[in-house]
Amino acid sequence: MEYGLLGKTLAHSYSPELHKLFGCPEYSLIEVAPENLPSFMQSADFKGINVTVPYKKEVIPYLSELSPEAAEAGGVNCIVRRPDGSLFGDNTDTKGFDALISFSKIDVKNKKVLVLGSGGAAGAVHTVLKRRGVRAAVTVSRNGDVNYSNVATLHPDADVIVNATPVGMYPGNGVSPIDIAPFARLSGVIDLIYNPDKTALVLSAEKRGIKTVGGLYMLVAQAAFAEELFFGKNFAEKDIFKAYTRLRNSKRNIVLIGMPGSGKSVIGKRLAAALRRPFEDIDRVIEAETGRTIPDIFANEGEEVFRALETEYTAKVCRGSGKVIATGGGVVTREENRDLLKENSVVIYLIRDTASLAVKGRPVSQSVPLETLAAQRIPIYKKWSDVKLLNSGISPTVGQIIRFMRLKPEGRNKK
């Protein structure tokens, strides 16, 4: 192992794929229990590693020298072994977070910013905020003078919130570290978490029309800066953006919504095959897991029981990444499903003329006129979707989705 990422739990990490985009062919995930950190730092024969939670501060005693950025931030996320064997610690989170703010276009100058968390990442955040001239940067922690119980009372005039905690990170999706409702002046939310693509915190801010950004661009930028330290390379902003776009598009699910019979399953299967992605049809997952057909569940237990199952399995299926997912036509009948679909996915509304929709084997479509269902659901499909696409046939529609996602089918020759 020459290069890799040091952390406690790394199942969520995209780092090996990311560093490969920047030219590092061998990059390992190094999971180390806290009690084993001393022996690892004293005996491991690496050339360069990145460091993530919870070790950004804990590795410092084993280092011979810190960069000014690491010293100011009080944490290290990049370690390089020098020719003499000594270890040099740097903090590319600082440059990465600065790049994230520029990318997001969230204005922090002369603003009051709440920084959630007090770990190593928070130190980098404070360093950048100070340099960018914020009016105040307030640390919010569980046991600090400003905590999650009193922050809304003490600082209701906060302009921006930065989440530097792991709360809401995969696999703990759907949880927010703070309720943003009391902060009437809030104009920006920055979440350093990159998996899922949109955390519960980000989604709650989006609903209020607040400018948001997740942490993936920061992850990509700090990785580029780490590669510069490892190999003496130099990456331009366009290189970082290209890697960000490729990684994000490969990781986000493609979710198909639309009326029953609009072609979600057929197009989803063809699209998944073209991209060599896993395909999951939520209705089929429910049937496989319960051992019962959808019509049987409707007939014997009613629609409410089915809708509860649909929400449960939508959460399970959409929590992953890099899939093509077909939903049932009624997934939009429960508001809580919106965040489950959007947290890690591009949501595509497949449009098909009502006269062309098939209703055989679809319990709701058989019991309620299609025109009535369309009037109820189409406005929600439009509201929830990131893109609206006419189903003009399997191959043309698959091609349109691939072009929209800036993806290429597997097996094509690279130019």
Side-chain angles (χ1 to χ4, degrees), residues 38-58:
S39 61
F40 172 81
M41 290 302 299
Q42 291 164 1
S43 63
D45 186 24
F46 58 81
K47 291 182 178 179
I49 58 171
N50 292 110
V51 183
T52 189
V53 291
Y55 300 135
K56 292 185 179 184
K57 293 182 178 181
E58 283 72 7

Side-chain angles (χ1 to χ4, degrees), residues 258-271:
M259 287 289 289
S262 60
K264 301 183 295 291
S265 296
V266 174
I267 288 173
K269 288 178 183 177
R270 183 72 66 85
L271 179 64

Side-chain angles (χ1 to χ4, degrees), residues 300-364:
N300 291 287
E301 298 184 60
E303 183 174 358
E304 280 305 305
V305 170
F306 172 75
R307 294 301 173 202
L309 286 170
E310 184 175 53
T311 296
E312 176 186 347
Y313 285 99
T314 296
K316 290 180 179 179
V317 171
C318 292
R319 186 165 290 174
S321 60
K323 304 176 184 178
V324 177
I325 300 168
T327 65
V331 73
V332 296
T333 60
R334 281 195 166 196
E335 176 64 26
E336 59 263 46
N337 293 342
R338 176 188 180 276
D339 286 359
L340 300 178
L341 296 180
K342 294 184 76 69
E343 68 176 4
N344 220 25
S345 309
V346 175
V347 180
I348 297 176
Y349 166 34
L350 282 184
I351 303 168
R352 196 174 190 183
D353 182 70
T354 304
S356 302
L357 299 175
V359 300
K360 184 178 180 180
R362 306 177 192 275
V364 177

Side-chain angles (χ1 to χ4, degrees), residues 97-117:
F97 182 63
D98 191 65
L100 179 64
I101 292 180
S102 297
F103 173 74
S104 72
K105 294 181 170 54
I106 293 174
D107 183 20
V108 297
K109 188 174 183 179
N110 297 320
K111 305 291 186 181
K112 178 182 278 191
V113 182
L114 302 181
V115 180
L116 310 184

